[in-house]
Amino acid sequence: MDDTAGQANFDALMAADSRVEPRDWMPEAYRRTLVRQISQHAHSEIIGMQPEANWITRAPSLRRKAILMAKVQDEAGHGLYLYSAAETLGTPRDEMMEALIAGKARYSSIFNYPAVSWADMGAIGWLVDGAAICNQVPLCRASYGPYARAMVRICKEESFHQRQGFEILLELSRGSAVQKQMAQDAVNRWYAPSLMMFGPPDDDSPNSLQSMAWNIKRFSNDELRSRFVGMMVEQVEVLGLTLPDDQIRFNEETKKWEHGPLDWNEFKDVLAGHGPCNAQRLERRRSAHDDGAWVREAAAAYAAKQQAAVAA
Amino acid sequence: MSGWPLWEVFVRSSRGLSHVHAGSLHAPDAAMALRNARDLYTRRNEGVSIWVVPADAIAASDPDAKGSFFESPQGKDYRHATYYTQSEGVKHL
Amino acid sequence: MSESATRITPGNALRPEDIADRVHDGTAKPSDEVAEYALWLGDDALILAQRLGHWISRAPELEEDVALGNIALDQLGHARSFLSYAGGAWGKSEDDLAYFRDEPQFRSAHLVEQPNGDFAVTIARQFVLSHYQFELYRRLLDSADPMLAAIAAKAVKEVDYHRDHSSQWMLRLALGTDESRRRVEAAVKLIWPYLAELFEDHPLVDALPGIAVRPSELRPAFDAVTGAVLAEAQLEIPSVPSASGGGRNGRHSEHLGYLLAEMQVLARQHPGASW
């Protein structure tokens, strides 16, 4: 199919809100945008395993240890689903992984903050996964089929992630004064970074409009952020905790939730690599990758020998 | 270069149903692909049987040939029971 | 995507919580000896799960993060079941036993206490332990203690997969590259001294006829099955002296203290807390 016919076909799919599949003609910019977005999403799952994996060995009850292990394992699975979706666009997983460990790829900046207490397992589940789910549910209808299908599976599996985080905070909040303080402190630290997970404000988000035109993104950053704040305001009361933002209010005119100012300079700083844990997170991924090289090579060599033996 | 090849995974969710494409994964060989698929795609009781197929062994129809491949059945309503209206009201037909 | 391919169901199986309930309402109460035996099995599984938990996010490939995570979760589930049951003898919960016992009160074998090392060491350790556990649980199905038999019934199927997983990797590492072969040979040498302890008989087992499985009885089947895999992998059984063991009597390796310090630190900072 030549580009003109391809573009016409692609435009028709967009107009009908239909799905694009891997072998369809698609504009190069659409392909590039998807590879960037899906691989960033995958990297976020993989790097995001680290702050929680750090607590697996210290989880304060065996039940919590099992839940946390299952959750971090899910994140590896979700990374895999997403890398697979990105691979259908012609970029091999190895290449994406190389870019990540070379520091050339981005991932959600929130994972560059440290998880310093057990309550952070609660706050990450409740706020970080909560924000992620808000972002991801509309992506189940993204125009690129493999991405949307991966998101359907991920959203189904993640439904327990936010709940277990909420429960951790609830237990702490109902526990001793020290435990409750631990929970409040974690919420205080993760609140603003979780709001920033929705991306820059709409008037400073150059790629958003194109992504919306391509039916990849369904709602603007600010819309999703406002919706998220509304949900958290209700839930924090059940937790018996507070959000560290005294400017949250429901705007009766716009029918939207509003929040206090966010420090976007910090966001950009962390994204640029100046967060508290950027170097540590990348180094951990790099060493896992490097330390595993001989294992991957061994399995590949074994497979090649088996094949040669069958062929002989 | 140790990059493991890509495999497509098909899962039968219960007896009597077809295997359905669940996703893909990387594995060095078929034996490990099956095991990885079990670990990745059936951790929540999603399956009773798994197929794995090397991704490059799948032949796919050409999306550009959509018209000549898939539009021919259109207009051939006589392949569907609903096309036959004279027998309406007749029992067990 | 078809609904059928992503159907998510919990399944039905004996859960640690069910055992805790039955212990609590008095329908399952082990004798002191049975509880002590359950600690053997539970502590092996717990310490191994703790070791394997460290791999998640550090495995050689993402698929292996998921695989090792599954094995760790299985082992943790078995540990919770055995410990919940054992606690019934002394009015203790699984967490009392996991977090508030000191080293001499643990009953784990030295094998599971061994550090992860590289992937080859982890696989060699897993290979030995899961073949041992499989032979043990298979026989425990016939135990006169219905709870031990019920836990074994769930565990034996899962451990069957663990021994397959580790056998597959033993073959690949042994017959893969020169480096992988060198590493797995070194790993086998490192792990083999701790094998004998698993099969040592003990007065506790004599006190539990028909209930506990005699460790020495497992050895012939273990040797036959692992021997076949090692032969296919062209790996020789190393002639290394056996370590003296003592885990069942509370004498542990140097490694256990560090492991417990990490595992127990948070729970002990908040005694009596609920999580």
Side-chain angles (χ1 to χ4, degrees):
Chain A
M1 193 177 279
D2 66 37
D3 287 2
T4 319
Q7 183 72 51
N9 188 49
F10 179 83
D11 292 342
L13 289 175
M14 289 299 126
D17 198 1
S18 184
R19 298 287 176 271
V20 178
E21 293 296 342
R23 292 164 55 88
D24 288 331
W25 186 96
M26 61 188 89
E28 263 320 297
Y30 177 82
R31 185 184 298 274
R32 269 201 314 276
T33 297
L34 279 170
V35 170
R36 194 184 61 233
Q37 180 171 337
I38 303 173
S39 63
Q40 281 179 12
H41 199 158
H43 298 330
S44 302
E45 296 280 357
I46 299 309
I47 297 290
M49 293 167 72
Q50 292 182 26
E52 291 174 292
N54 289 340
W55 282 92
I56 288 176
T57 49
R58 287 174 294 167
S61 77
L62 296 185
R63 179 170 157 268
R64 290 284 169 213
K65 191 190 286 287
I67 293 169
L68 188 59
M69 236 185 229
K71 177 174 192 276
V72 179
Q73 188 202 32
D74 268 354
E75 282 154 11
H78 297 170
L80 281 173
Y81 303 157
L82 288 161
Y83 283 127
S84 299
E87 277 188 287
T88 63
L89 292 157
T91 307
R93 186 165 102 196
D94 283 354
E95 206 176 303
M96 294 183 265
M97 194 57 84
E98 292 295 340
L100 173 64
I101 59 182
K104 290 180 194 154
R106 281 186 173 172
Y107 54 86
S108 183
S109 67
I110 195 139
F111 300 116
N112 291 319
Y113 292 90
V116 293
S117 85
W118 172 252
D120 290 24
M121 298 304 95
I124 289 177
W126 180 52
L127 289 170
V128 178
D129 290 316
I133 291 167
C134 259
N135 257 329
Q136 287 169 355
V137 167
L139 287 172
C140 295
R141 293 188 292 124
S143 59
Y144 187 58
Y147 191 25
R149 290 193 285 276
M151 291 319 309
V152 169
R153 187 175 269 278
I154 289 171
C155 284
K156 273 189 189 181
E157 296 187 350
E158 268 194 1
S159 52
F160 98 79
H161 292 189
Q162 194 187 13
R163 284 190 183 194
Q164 65 87 37
F166 184 86
E167 276 192 21
I168 288 175
L169 291 176
L170 193 62
E171 283 283 351
L172 292 173
S173 174
R174 290 175 178 170
S176 67
V178 177
Q179 283 180 302
K180 182 164 184 170
Q181 183 50 44
M182 196 194 283
Q184 184 62 57
D185 172 62
V187 170
N188 291 351
R189 281 182 290 109
W190 291 95
Y191 168 75
S194 74
L195 290 198
M196 292 195 266
M197 284 175 71
F198 294 96
D202 292 349
D203 52 18
D204 188 27
S205 179
N207 300 324
S208 281
L209 277 180
Q210 180 60 74
S211 283
M212 289 178 82
W214 278 332
N215 297 340
I216 298 171
K217 205 171 162 58
R218 299 287 179 169
F219 302 99
S220 80
N221 296 350
D222 287 335
E223 248 176 299
L224 288 170
R225 187 164 22 239
S226 152
R227 200 181 291 178
F228 177 67
V229 168
M231 290 190 274
M232 296 302 105
V233 164
E234 270 186 38
Q235 293 174 12
V236 80
E237 287 197 23
V238 183
L239 287 175
L241 301 171
T242 55
L243 294 175
D245 183 347
D246 54 13
Q247 295 179 53
I248 295 179
R249 67 179 197 108
F250 186 71
N251 185 325
E252 288 293 347
E253 272 171 41
T254 59
K255 300 285 173 207
K256 284 188 194 314
W257 284 92
E258 292 171 356
H259 54 80
L262 296 167
D263 184 353
W264 291 105
N265 288 329
E266 178 187 303
F267 176 81
K268 283 173 188 157
D269 258 13
V270 175
L271 206 58
H274 303 296
C277 303
N278 297 57
Q280 174 194 336
R281 300 283 188 246
L282 271 191
E283 178 49 32
R284 165 96 159 262
R285 178 85 310 258
R286 190 181 297 123
S287 66
H289 189 77
D290 292 351
D291 293 349
W294 69 271
V295 179
R296 296 190 300 275
E297 281 159 16
Y302 176 83
K305 286 179 195 170
Q306 295 294 107
Q307 267 189 343
V310 170
Chain B
M1 179 65 195
S2 64
W4 293 346
L6 190 67
W7 300 75
E8 298 299 335
V9 179
F10 300 81
V11 175
R12 184 202 293 286
S13 63
S14 66
R15 290 192 161 274
L17 298 178
S18 302
H19 287 78
V20 173
H21 186 233
S24 49
L25 50 76
H26 287 264
D29 52 46
M32 292 308 282
L34 271 176
R35 286 160 180 80
N36 291 346
R38 175 261 194 198
D39 285 328
L40 186 59
Y41 287 105
T42 67
R43 348 192 257 296
R44 287 178 170 83
N45 266 2
E46 296 99 329
V48 296
S49 166
I50 297 173
W51 289 345
V52 291
V53 182
D56 61 11
I58 291 180
S61 60
D62 179 358
D64 294 354
K66 204 170 53 184
S68 54
F69 242 69
F70 297 114
E71 285 175 17
S72 153
Q74 293 173 15
K76 300 190 174 74
D77 302 2
Y78 45 81
R79 281 197 170 105
H80 300 273
T82 47
Y83 177 76
Y84 304 91
T85 52
Q86 305 232 30
S87 49
E88 250 171 45
V90 180
K91 284 181 180 171
H92 307 302
L93 190 70
Chain C
M1 181 175 288
S2 151
E3 284 297 310
S4 65
T6 57
R7 196 185 57 167
I8 289 173
T9 62
N12 47 12
L14 184 67
R15 300 170 311 144
E17 288 86 352
D18 303 328
I19 297 170
D21 285 347
R22 296 197 38 199
V23 163
H24 199 69
D25 67 23
T27 51
K29 183 166 167 56
S31 67
D32 279 7
E33 283 85 8
V34 168
E36 175 78 6
Y37 184 60
L39 285 184
W40 287 22
L41 310 181
D43 285 347
D44 279 354
L46 175 63
I47 303 304
L48 183 69
Q50 178 75 2
R51 285 288 188 219
L52 291 174
H54 187 76
W55 270 106
I56 305 174
S57 75
R58 293 180 174 89
E61 189 52 282
L62 296 175
E63 280 82 355
E64 204 52 35
D65 274 307
V66 180
L68 291 172
N70 272 351
I71 295 174
L73 276 170
D74 287 344
Q75 292 285 342
L76 183 56
H78 308 162
R80 294 182 59 201
S81 294
F82 284 123
L83 294 187
S84 293
Y85 184 41
W90 310 299
K92 290 186 185 301
S93 69
E94 55 174 1
D95 288 336
D96 294 336
L97 291 174
Y99 293 96
F100 294 95
R101 278 183 299 157
D102 296 332
E103 286 160 82
Q105 297 166 293
F106 272 80
R107 293 292 173 264
S108 45
H110 287 219
L111 175 77
V112 293
E113 299 168 10
Q114 297 309 304
N116 285 339
D118 64 6
F119 188 69
V121 173
T122 289
I123 289 297
R125 185 184 64 198
Q126 191 66 43
F127 177 72
V128 170
L129 191 81
S130 49
H131 277 92
Y132 156 78
Q133 284 180 323
F134 179 78
E135 297 302 334
L136 169 60
Y137 293 154
R138 203 155 63 96
R139 287 162 182 77
L140 203 57
L141 294 175
D142 300 324
S143 171
D145 185 291
M147 186 59 87
L148 289 179
I151 299 171
K154 165 105 172 105
V156 71
K157 289 178 232 160
E158 296 175 352
V159 167
D160 192 16
Y161 183 77
H162 305 172
R163 62 181 197 144
D164 171 69
H165 172 269
S166 54
S167 299
Q168 294 290 340
W169 271 116
M170 287 295 279
L171 292 175
R172 280 159 184 76
L173 298 184
L175 305 174
T177 61
D178 291 344
E179 182 181 6
S180 69
R181 181 160 188 88
R182 179 177 60 71
R183 284 177 183 261
V184 79
E185 281 173 347
V188 165
K189 265 195 196 132
L190 202 65
I191 287 300
W192 240 250
Y194 305 102
L195 201 134
E197 184 189 3
L198 300 174
F199 302 100
E200 263 170 34
D201 287 334
H202 190 282
L204 177 68
V205 176
D206 297 328
L208 293 169
I211 291 176
V213 176
R214 185 167 294 283
S216 59
E217 279 174 14
L218 307 175
R219 191 66 198 254
F222 174 91
D223 283 344
V225 182
T226 54
V229 178
L230 293 174
E232 194 184 339
Q234 298 166 31
L235 284 173
E236 278 182 29
I237 294 170
S239 51
V240 285
S242 294
S244 58
R248 307 303 187 206
N249 294 325
R251 290 194 308 274
H252 294 284
S253 65
E254 289 177 345
H255 309 297
L256 186 65
Y258 293 95
L259 182 145
L260 293 184
E262 184 176 0
M263 185 173 84
Q264 297 176 334
V265 59
L266 178 58
R268 289 191 175 203
Q269 281 168 356
H270 305 266
S274 164
W275 302 96

